[in-house]
């Protein structure tokens, strides 16, 4: 890529094992590497790969607005690009999945004509499918940021898998270093109870961030969800509660037999 330019990479959820060789190469050769990761192992590995790598975590502070911090981070990345550097912006997970700053940095870099591109990476959702043994193709998959799900009145289809991101911070606009149970959790439970029974099993999921670690998988009845610990890295998985209802007329139009509902 030309100089100056921007490449946005993801380190995966577990840098050991999930960092692609392509992303690793950019971390190693870029003039400047600006990174935001959550665990000390990833931090250490990135610094070993490029001794000039600069952490961006300092933009966050207890009680500071997340949006302000995220805007500052994009501005920091853009200063590097404008300053003439071939810049690598590294984020944990997939840099463009529930990570608006990856896309925003690309947009701001391309606007005045810089070369900018994003590389794919392993997201929390990819880990979830593997750890929970779920195939999104089996029932379809609905995936929402929790606040978006609530505020925009999204309707869940209970015949399809539902994944709720950021359930542990649920609309809290302020950064908090230590996990606290979201005060709005009862609102989410009440909302889900409109479509699911109180005894329907939901799963609070945290992928392991170390290659020899274990994921935290907590299965609980929806009505009991308030009793479990959620963190900033929790993702809520709501498996389907009923089979789909095949559309007879559509099957007829397509010349297909009506699917037989799987036995539950
Ligand atoms: C700002 S998003 C970043 C997602 C990230 N870009 C990715 O590709 O997974 C943060 C949310 O991702 C999910 N997440 C992050 N780390 C996770 C982990 N270790 N296990 C499960 N979910 C995780 C949680 O829903 C968390 O609130």
């Amino acid at each position: 890529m030309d100089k100056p330019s921007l490449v946005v990479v993801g380190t995966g959820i577990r840098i050991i094992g999930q960092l692609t060789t392509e992303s690793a190469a950019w971390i190693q050769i870029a003039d400047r590497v600006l990174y935001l990761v959550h665990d000390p192992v990833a931090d250490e590995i990135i610094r070993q790969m490029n001794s000039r790598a600069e952490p961006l975590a300092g933009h966050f502070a207890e009680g500071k607005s997340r949006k302000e911090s995220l805007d500052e981070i994009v501005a920091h990345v853009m200063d590097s690009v404008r300053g003439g550097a071939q810049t690598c912006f590294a984020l944990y997970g997939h840099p463009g999945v529930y990570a608006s700053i990856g896309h925003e940095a690309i947009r701001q870099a391309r606007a005045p004509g810089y070369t900018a591109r994003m590389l794919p990476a392993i997201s929390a959702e990819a880990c979830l499918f593997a750890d929970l043994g779920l195939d999104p193709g089996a029932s379809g998959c609905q995936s929402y940021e929790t606040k978006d799900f609530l505020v925009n009145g999204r309707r869940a289809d209970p015949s399809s898998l539902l994944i709720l991101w950021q359930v542990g911070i649920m609309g809290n606009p302020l950064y908090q270093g230590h996990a606290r149970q979201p005060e709005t959790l009862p609102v989410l439970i009440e909302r889900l109870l409109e479509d699911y029974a109180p005894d329907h099993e939901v799963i609070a999921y945290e992928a392991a961030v170390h290659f020899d670690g274990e994921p935290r998988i907590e299965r609980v009845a929806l009505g009991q969800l308030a009793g479990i610990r959620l963190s900033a890295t929790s993702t809520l998985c709501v498996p389907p509660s009923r089979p789909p209802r095949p559309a007879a007329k559509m099957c007829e139009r397509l010349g297909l037999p009506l699917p037989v509902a799987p036995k539950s």
Side-chain angles (χ1 to χ4, degrees):
M1 275 214 290
D2 311 330
K3 285 188 185 190
S5 60
L6 173 66
V7 60
V8 181
V9 305
T11 61
I13 297 297
R14 294 187 275 290
I15 194 165
I16 300 178
Q18 294 183 353
L19 179 68
T20 66
T21 44
E22 186 183 22
S23 296
W26 281 112
I27 291 174
Q28 283 164 331
I29 67 160
D31 299 330
R32 286 187 73 185
V33 177
L34 305 172
Y35 68 94
L36 188 62
V37 293
H38 277 337
D39 78 294
V41 172
D43 195 285
E44 178 63 31
I45 288 173
I46 291 171
R47 283 169 192 263
Q48 279 173 12
M49 292 173 77
N50 188 325
S51 57
R52 298 179 306 279
E54 304 158 52
L56 294 165
H59 286 287
F60 291 97
E62 193 69 20
K64 181 174 168 183
S65 143
R66 279 176 202 282
K67 167 139 188 11
E68 190 184 338
S69 304
L70 297 175
D71 289 348
E72 283 175 13
I73 287 172
V74 175
H76 190 146
V77 171
M78 284 310 299
D79 281 349
S80 169
V81 177
R82 281 192 212 97
Q86 189 178 59
T87 304
C88 175
F89 179 26
L91 294 164
Y92 83 96
H94 185 304
V97 170
Y98 291 84
S100 59
I101 50 175
H103 293 294
E104 181 58 21
I106 297 264
R107 194 191 63 73
Q108 289 193 21
R110 282 182 182 162
Y114 296 113
T115 303
R117 73 166 186 256
M118 180 182 284
L119 304 184
I122 303 274
S123 69
E125 192 179 63
C127 298
L128 180 150
F129 294 142
D131 284 332
L132 300 184
L134 294 170
D135 179 350
S139 65
C141 180
Q142 311 154 87
S143 177
Y144 294 106
E145 198 278 329
T146 306
K147 181 180 148 202
D148 169 33
F149 179 75
L150 290 171
V151 169
N152 292 314
R154 311 284 192 182
R155 294 292 333 172
D157 171 357
S159 72
S160 170
L161 181 64
L162 172 66
I163 296 175
L164 293 174
W165 298 69
Q166 305 213 119
V167 68
I169 55 173
M170 217 191 292
N172 185 345
L174 306 180
Y175 174 82
Q176 284 170 343
H178 294 288
R180 271 175 229 165
Q181 201 72 344
E183 287 163 15
T184 45
L185 189 56
V187 180
L188 175 66
I189 296 170
E190 197 183 305
R191 175 66 185 71
L192 290 173
L193 284 171
E194 290 173 21
D195 293 309
Y196 300 89
D199 62 352
H200 183 60
E201 185 184 88
V202 299
I203 308 162
Y205 171 73
E206 280 174 36
V209 294
H210 298 136
F211 76 99
D212 59 348
E214 291 296 324
R216 195 172 80 84
I217 299 171
E218 208 164 334
R219 296 172 190 273
V220 66
L222 173 58
Q224 307 299 316
L225 180 61
I228 66 162
R229 182 184 63 81
L230 295 172
S231 77
T233 56
S234 297
T235 298
L236 188 70
C237 175
V238 184
S241 63
R242 64 163 177 80
R245 300 192 178 114
K249 282 203 173 135
M250 181 54 78
C251 292
E252 207 179 299
R253 276 184 73 191
L254 297 172
L256 296 171
L258 203 61
V260 181
K263 288 198 177 97
S264 51

